């Protein structure tokens, strides 16, 4: 047996210290978000097989790790590995792919390679009051995509200016790109989408060909006293068929009241390109002319990492040559982030 000596112990400490200086430990994190939901159609319910009635709903629960490794004073390697976790649907895989990439960062900004939220998705800012839930803006507006085989460039931050560019490699990504488009997305924003460092945010985004969509949107947010207001306007069309188009918008409001955060949101789309519209179109013999949604609800803070929430969402799809489709969605849930 090797006898431990003071010299050997000191050497071991030096090796450990050297390793620690060269390789920073990653940050491990998670987001567990489960709700009890009742829905008439199941169109917007997540983490199930489109079940109607009262169900347990998984709202983008995930675990992951991320970090950075210094290469020299001007350059570092950055990475992220994240998977979705589903515990509410016996017919679905327990794990699913989410943002997973590796790249480099420095004074030039950041460039990463892999699966990532598109720049167009990022152009929503902080408008969505019910993100990752069954009242997420994706139910009304298309383009909230996460795509693999992509290159993402993030601008270096200059004052309050932010920007992002996404390019998807067409030859390596059947179904996520379009032969008729250039398969990129971008956004520019100015201000603070969290409305903490500044009481305003404005931004714009454009996508061409990713998931067969060509669209642009404008985003604005403002904070008046404690009231946070937000709005998005978006014009969309199918890349391969410009006659298939829609215009839509979202307006939202948030107001803190003690441990409560009161929230409200309204959405409208004059077509069937959002999630609710597409599912309604597939479930009727008529033609979806427009979709409206309003949602009211709130969060109740339990701790820095946990809160309870609840909301009521109403969806209405006007159908030409068939009966209209409506859905009343009631949700109560618990979220914990670490």
């Amino acid at each position: 047996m090797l006898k431990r000596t003071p010299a050997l112990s000191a050497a071991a400490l030096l090796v450990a210290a050297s390793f620690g200086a060269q390789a920073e430990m990653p940050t491990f994190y998670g987001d567990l978000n489960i709700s009890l939901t009742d829905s008439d159609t199941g169109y917007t319910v997540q983490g199930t097989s489109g079940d109607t009635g009262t169900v347990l709903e998984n709202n983008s629960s995930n675990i992951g790790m991320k970090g950075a490794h210094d290469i020299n004073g001007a350059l570092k390697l950055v990475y992220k590995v994240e998977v979705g976790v589903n515990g509410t649907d016996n017919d679905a895989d327990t794990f699913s792919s989410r943002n997973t990439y590796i790249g480099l960062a420095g004074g030039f900004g950041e460039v990463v390679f892999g699966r990532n939220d598109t720049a167009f998705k990022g152009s929503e800012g902080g408008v969505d009051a019910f993100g990752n839930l069954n009242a997420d803006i994706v139910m009304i507006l298309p383009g909230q995509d996460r795509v693999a085989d992509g290159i993402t460039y993030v601008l270096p931050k200059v004052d309050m200016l932010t920007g992002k560019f996404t390019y998807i490699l067409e030859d390596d990504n059947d179904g996520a790109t379009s032969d008729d488009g250039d398969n990129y997305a971008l956004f520019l924003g100015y201000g603070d989408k969290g409305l903490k460092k500044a009481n305003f945010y404005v931004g714009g985004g454009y996508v061409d060909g990713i998931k067969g969509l060509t669209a642009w949107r404008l985003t604005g947010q403002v904070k008046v006293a404690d009231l946070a207001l937000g709005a998005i306007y978006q014009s969309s069309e199918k890349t391969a068929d410009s006659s298939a188009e829609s215009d839509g918008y979202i307006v939202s409001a948030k107001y803190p009241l003690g441990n409560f955060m009161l929230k409200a949101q309204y959405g409208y789309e004059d077509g069937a390109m959002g999630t609710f519209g597409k599912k309604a179109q597939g479930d009727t013999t008529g033609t979806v002319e427009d979709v409206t949604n309003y949602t009211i609800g709130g969060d109740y803070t339990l701790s820095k990492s946990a809160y309870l929430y609840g909301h009521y969402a109403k969806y209405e799809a006007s159908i030409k040559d068939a009966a209209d489709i409506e859905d009343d969605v009631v949700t109560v849930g618990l979220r914990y982030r670490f």
Side-chain angles (χ1 to χ4, degrees):
M1 179 180 292
L2 181 63
K3 184 177 180 180
R4 181 176 291 274
T5 65
L8 182 61
S9 298
L13 288 173
L14 286 172
V15 171
S18 175
F19 179 81
Q22 295 297 320
E24 298 83 356
M25 292 299 293
T27 298
F28 292 91
Y29 63 91
D31 186 347
L32 303 178
N33 190 340
I34 303 294
S35 62
L36 187 66
T37 294
D38 187 85
S39 170
D40 297 329
T41 68
Y43 291 169
T44 68
V45 176
Q46 306 174 95
T48 75
S49 300
D51 297 332
T52 60
T54 303
V55 300
L56 275 179
E57 186 176 12
N58 176 50
N59 302 293
S60 301
S61 295
N62 62 81
I63 55 174
M65 66 177 185
K66 59 184 178 180
H69 173 76
D70 285 333
I71 297 174
N72 55 48
L75 189 65
K76 61 183 178 180
L77 180 147
V78 293
Y79 61 90
K80 186 174 187 177
V81 179
E82 184 177 292
V83 295
V85 182
N86 182 24
T88 63
D89 188 355
N90 290 321
D91 297 326
D93 293 333
T94 303
F95 299 104
S96 58
S97 298
R98 287 177 62 87
N99 291 346
T100 300
Y101 53 75
I102 189 170
L104 297 171
F108 58 87
E110 179 179 287
V111 59
V112 298
F113 308 88
R115 182 185 299 272
N116 209 347
D117 292 342
T118 69
F120 190 72
K121 180 179 180 181
S123 67
E124 71 179 88
V127 173
D128 195 352
F130 298 92
N132 292 333
L133 301 176
N134 51 48
D136 190 292
I137 66 171
V138 72
M139 305 305 170
I140 299 295
L141 303 177
Q144 301 298 100
D145 298 311
R146 177 183 301 115
V147 186
D149 302 316
I151 301 170
T152 303
Y153 172 65
V154 180
L155 288 175
K157 196 168 183 179
V158 179
D159 190 23
M160 291 189 292
L161 179 68
T162 55
K164 187 175 180 179
F165 177 82
T166 301
Y167 178 72
I168 305 300
L169 302 179
E170 182 178 7
D171 292 338
D172 197 23
N173 212 329
D174 284 344
T177 58
S178 171
D179 293 338
D180 301 283
D182 292 321
N183 306 311
Y184 72 91
L186 55 85
F187 90 80
L188 284 174
Y190 188 78
D192 178 21
K193 67 179 182 180
L195 299 180
K196 295 179 180 179
K197 297 179 181 179
N199 62 359
F200 71 94
Y201 177 83
V202 292
Y206 181 77
V207 60
D208 181 2
I210 299 177
K211 291 285 187 174
L213 177 71
T214 297
W216 60 268
R217 67 167 52 144
L218 297 175
T219 302
Q221 296 172 244
V222 65
K223 190 173 183 180
V224 181
D226 289 330
L227 178 63
L229 302 172
I232 296 174
Y233 178 82
Q234 179 171 324
S235 180
S236 312
E237 63 183 45
K238 291 185 178 180
T239 307
D241 180 10
S242 60
S243 66
E245 60 179 350
S246 72
D247 294 305
Y249 60 87
I250 301 287
V251 292
S252 67
K254 304 176 189 177
Y255 186 79
L257 192 63
N259 283 349
F260 287 94
M261 176 64 77
L262 305 180
K263 304 188 295 186
Q265 190 157 287
Y266 179 82
Y268 172 82
E269 182 202 14
D270 66 355
M273 296 188 70
T275 296
F276 193 89
K278 286 190 289 188
K279 291 187 177 181
Q281 187 60 71
D283 207 22
T284 180
T285 57
T287 301
V288 175
E289 294 189 312
D290 59 64
V291 176
T292 58
N293 157 250
Y294 62 82
T295 307
I296 55 173
D299 306 334
Y300 180 78
T301 300
L302 299 173
S303 70
K304 185 177 180 180
S305 301
Y307 64 87
L308 293 165
Y309 61 87
H311 65 261
Y312 166 75
K314 177 73 173 184
Y315 291 91
E316 298 176 333
S318 297
I319 313 295
K320 182 180 180 180
D321 299 326
D324 293 347
I325 296 176
E326 298 185 0
D327 195 359
D328 295 284
V329 184
V330 180
T331 296
V332 291
L334 175 63
R335 186 178 188 183
Y336 174 65
R337 290 174 288 184
F338 60 89

